[in-house]
């Protein structure tokens, strides 16, 4: 996987670089499209990084790099970078800042993947309303909350929520919408 990832990353880097050049050169009316290209390439790169991280974890080589960070600042910056996703669907994406630092010992790359995946799924499965992200601190523990006004997860699927990857058949559960 590591060797293959290099072969995939190289063309993705080219796509990202040349889409930036195009973005800077095209008429403003076309910049939305070049932004979509850049964002899609960035998401693909993040997916590759996640697959590599999972492979490392499953092989027993944890690869986790824990450092002390202000979780509220990291999540705020991530939410800001994800706002175009919500804006394209005319959804709101709000970050509720706790108003103070929430210091944690975390792997920042893992936090980035978690927040990005949760917000991305929230936007993807929400047709109206929006996504709310918050960081709080209670009893010596940090808490990340991501809520959306989307279709939700059917109650009968909740027990399998942490199983290996499964995609819910949304159409089968739309009449049982649970926020």
């Amino acid at each position: 996987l590591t060797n293959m990832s290099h072969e995939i990353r190289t063309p993705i880097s080219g796509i990202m670089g040349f889409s930036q050049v195009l973005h800077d050169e095209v008429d403003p009316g076309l910049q939305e499209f070049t932004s979509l290209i850049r964002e899609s390439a960035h998401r693909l790169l993040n997916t590759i990084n996640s697959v590599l991280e999972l492979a490392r974890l499953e092989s027993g080589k944890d690869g986790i790099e824990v450092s002390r960070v202000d979780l509220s600042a990291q999540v705020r910056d991530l939410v800001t970078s994800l706002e175009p996703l919500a804006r394209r669907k005319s959804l709101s994406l709000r970050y509720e800042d706790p108003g103070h630092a929430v210091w944690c010992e975390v792997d920042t790359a893992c936090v980035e993947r978690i927040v990005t995946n949760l917000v991305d799924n929230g936007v993807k499965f929400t047709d109206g309303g929006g996504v709310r992200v918050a960081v709080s601190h209670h009893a010596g523990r940090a808490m990340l909350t991501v809520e959306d006004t989307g279709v939700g997860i059917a109650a009968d699927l909740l027990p399998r929520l942490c199983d290996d990857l499964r995609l819910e058949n949304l159409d089968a559960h739309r009449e049982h919408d649970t926020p």
Side-chain angles (χ1 to χ4, degrees), residues 147-164:
E147 295 177 338
D148 62 67
T149 56
V151 65
I153 300 171
D156 62 318
L157 296 176
L158 288 175
R160 296 191 319 254
L161 187 63
C162 293
D163 290 355
D164 286 344

Side-chain angles (χ1 to χ4, degrees), residues 8-29:
I8 296 172
R9 287 174 200 248
T10 301
I12 292 174
S13 295
I15 292 168
M16 292 172 79
F18 285 113
S19 66
Q20 181 63 51
V21 170
L22 282 174
H23 184 79
D24 295 341
E25 300 293 326
V26 299
D27 294 329

